[in-house]
């Protein structure tokens, strides 16, 4: 409970500091909103030419994109400290983290909070709301609950990958760009129904990194393509995935050697 109180206090501090320069904040948020919105415009233009994508309509694809564009910035906001963790290792600032009588995970979570990602989050909510309004079958209470679970489970899965990337920093000191393949790259892949890719991708993102569990399999449920209850509960895999990621981070922290900076 004390940890949650400390985390919320740090979040309030980060929000106040972000709003110290409101013009800068709103410009950054607007640019995030516009960049994400242009992706949906591109998808709309593609569908206006091709009509459908392997049986998926534009609004069904927009639903998938809206969920991802809501989950990813949520993970960025809350787990940004892990995404930029390599700079803390490189500068020797992790020494200070180890000296404080608080959980390492809690301190890293509290270290960064990207409020400017609210622009991208808002765009995702708008797209998600528009898609739900155009798909009557999605507007049942059960399906809306699955959508919320997809957003939260997807955010947990992305946060887990951020944590794994931070764990690698204990061995490499510098951040590895390969991690972006599974963060930014994962965001791009999951914005479309994943059965449009080769089966190997679907297997990998189901059994190794559970993006398909949080975004694709439950999408089959909310669009009426599957009645399997396991598909509806699949987003829970995102939370399950984040637990060993946190454990790996704590184990890797034992390999930390101060840079002496």
């Amino acid at each position: 409970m004390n940890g949650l109180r400390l985390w919320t206090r740090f979040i309030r501090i980060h929000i106040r500091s972000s709003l110290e320069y409101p013009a800068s904040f709103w410009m950054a948020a607007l640019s995030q909103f516009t960049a994400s919105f242009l992706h949906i415009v591109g998808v709309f233009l593609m569908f206006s030419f091709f009509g459908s994508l392997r049986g998926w309509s534009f609004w069904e694809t927009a639903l998938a994109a809206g969920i991802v564009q809501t989950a990813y910035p949520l993970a960025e906001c809350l787990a940004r400290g892990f995404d930029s963790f390599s700079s803390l290792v490189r500068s020797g600032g992790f020494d200070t983290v180890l000296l404080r009588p608080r959980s390492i995970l809690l301190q890293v979570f509290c270290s960064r909070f990207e409020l400017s990602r609210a622009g991208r989050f808002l765009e995702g909510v708008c797209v998600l709301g528009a898609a739900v309004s155009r798909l009557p079958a999605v507007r049942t209470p059960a399906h809306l609950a699955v959508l919320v679970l997809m957003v939260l489970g997807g955010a947990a899965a992305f946060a887990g990958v951020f944590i794994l990337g931070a764990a690698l920093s204990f061995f490499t000191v510098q951040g590895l760009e390969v991690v972006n393949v599974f963060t930014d790259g994962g965001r791009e892949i999951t914005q479309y129904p994943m059965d449009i890719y080769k089966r190997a991708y679907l297997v990998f993102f189901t059994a190794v990194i559970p993006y398909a569990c949080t975004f694709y399999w439950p999408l089959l449920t909310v669009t009426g393509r599957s009645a399997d209850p396991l598909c509806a509960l699949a987003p829970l895999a995102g939370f399950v995935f984040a637990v060993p990621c946190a454990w790996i981070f704590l184990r890797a922290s034992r390999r930390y050697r101060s840079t002496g900076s």
Side-chain angles (χ1 to χ4, degrees), residues 1-7 9-10 94-111 249-250 253:
M1 195 64 181
N2 289 333
L4 179 61
R5 189 181 302 114
L6 179 63
W7 179 76
R9 184 177 180 182
F10 269 98
F94 191 66
D95 296 356
T96 306
V97 173
L98 293 174
L99 292 174
R100 294 173 183 149
R102 292 290 182 180
S103 165
I104 295 173
L105 284 170
L106 177 63
Q107 291 186 65
V108 180
F109 267 114
C110 293
S111 64
F249 176 82
L250 294 175
S253 67

Side-chain angles (χ1 to χ4, degrees), residues 20-106:
E20 281 294 317
Y21 300 94
S24 176
F25 164 74
W26 287 113
M27 290 176 64
L30 180 61
S31 66
Q32 293 282 339
F33 182 96
T34 304
S36 296
F37 181 73
L38 289 176
H39 170 80
I40 294 299
V41 173
V43 173
F44 175 77
L45 293 175
M46 179 182 69
F47 273 86
S48 66
F49 184 80
F50 292 104
S52 65
L53 184 64
R54 285 203 173 180
W56 294 88
S57 68
F58 167 73
W59 287 111
E60 289 174 329
T61 305
L63 181 68
I67 294 168
V68 176
Q69 291 177 358
T70 305
Y72 188 77
L74 183 61
E76 279 191 308
C77 283
L78 299 179
R80 187 63 173 176
F82 291 97
D83 191 30
S84 59
F85 182 77
S86 61
S87 62
L88 196 63
V89 174
R90 188 168 59 251
S91 66
F94 191 66
D95 296 356
T96 306
V97 173
L98 293 174
L99 292 174
R100 294 173 183 149
R102 292 290 182 180
S103 165
I104 295 173
L105 284 170
L106 177 63

Side-chain angles (χ1 to χ4, degrees), residues 190 194 201-202 205-206 209-218 234:
T190 53
M194 295 187 70
Y201 288 94
L202 190 58
F205 287 115
T206 298
I209 300 178
Y211 289 156
C213 294
T214 56
F215 298 119
Y216 172 67
W217 297 115

Side-chain angles (χ1 to χ4, degrees):
M1 195 64 181
N2 289 333
L4 179 61
R5 189 181 302 114
L6 179 63
W7 179 76
T8 55
R9 184 177 180 182
F10 269 98
I11 294 302
R12 289 197 299 268
I13 292 172
H14 282 301
I15 291 175
R16 286 201 300 268
S17 65
S18 297
L19 296 178
E20 281 294 317
Y21 300 94
S24 176
F25 164 74
W26 287 113
M27 290 176 64
L30 180 61
S31 66
Q32 293 282 339
F33 182 96
T34 304
S36 296
F37 181 73
L38 289 176
H39 170 80
I40 294 299
V41 173
V43 173
F44 175 77
L45 293 175
M46 179 182 69
F47 273 86
S48 66
F49 184 80
F50 292 104
S52 65
L53 184 64
R54 285 203 173 180
W56 294 88
S57 68
F58 167 73
W59 287 111
E60 289 174 329
T61 305
L63 181 68
I67 294 168
V68 176
Q69 291 177 358
T70 305
Y72 188 77
L74 183 61
E76 279 191 308
C77 283
L78 299 179
R80 187 63 173 176
F82 291 97
D83 191 30
S84 59
F85 182 77
S86 61
S87 62
L88 196 63
V89 174
R90 188 168 59 251
S91 66
F94 191 66
D95 296 356
T96 306
V97 173
L98 293 174
L99 292 174
R100 294 173 183 149
R102 292 290 182 180
S103 165
I104 295 173
L105 284 170
L106 177 63
Q107 291 186 65
V108 180
F109 267 114
C110 293
S111 64
R112 293 284 297 274
F113 182 78
E114 292 287 345
L115 187 61
S116 63
R117 295 299 189 272
R120 186 181 296 175
F121 178 83
L122 179 60
E123 186 273 342
V125 171
C126 291
V127 172
L128 186 57
V132 169
S133 69
R134 297 299 295 268
L135 298 171
V138 178
R139 295 198 298 268
T140 65
H143 286 172
L144 292 176
V146 173
L147 289 179
V148 173
L149 189 60
M150 290 171 71
V151 171
L152 297 179
F158 281 123
V161 177
F162 286 140
I163 294 172
L164 283 180
L168 291 175
S169 300
F170 291 116
F171 301 93
T172 63
V173 180
Q174 296 285 345
L176 295 178
E177 289 299 322
V178 69
V179 177
N180 293 334
V181 174
F182 302 105
T183 53
D184 294 331
R187 178 193 62 193
E188 294 299 323
I189 288 175
T190 53
Q191 289 187 90
Y192 300 91
M194 295 187 70
D195 59 358
I196 68 173
Y197 305 115
K198 291 185 177 180
R199 182 174 176 81
Y201 288 94
L202 190 58
V203 171
F204 178 83
F205 287 115
T206 298
V208 182
I209 300 178
Y211 289 156
C213 294
T214 56
F215 298 119
Y216 172 67
W217 297 115
L219 184 67
L220 298 180
T221 295
V222 297
T223 56
R225 285 175 167 80
S226 174
D228 190 342
L230 291 179
C231 290
L233 297 176
L236 294 175
F239 300 100
V240 175
F241 174 71
V243 173
C245 292
W247 180 83
I248 291 172
F249 176 82
L250 294 175
R251 293 286 296 182
S253 67
R254 300 180 182 181
R255 300 291 301 271
Y256 173 69
R257 297 293 182 271
S258 177
T259 59
S261 301

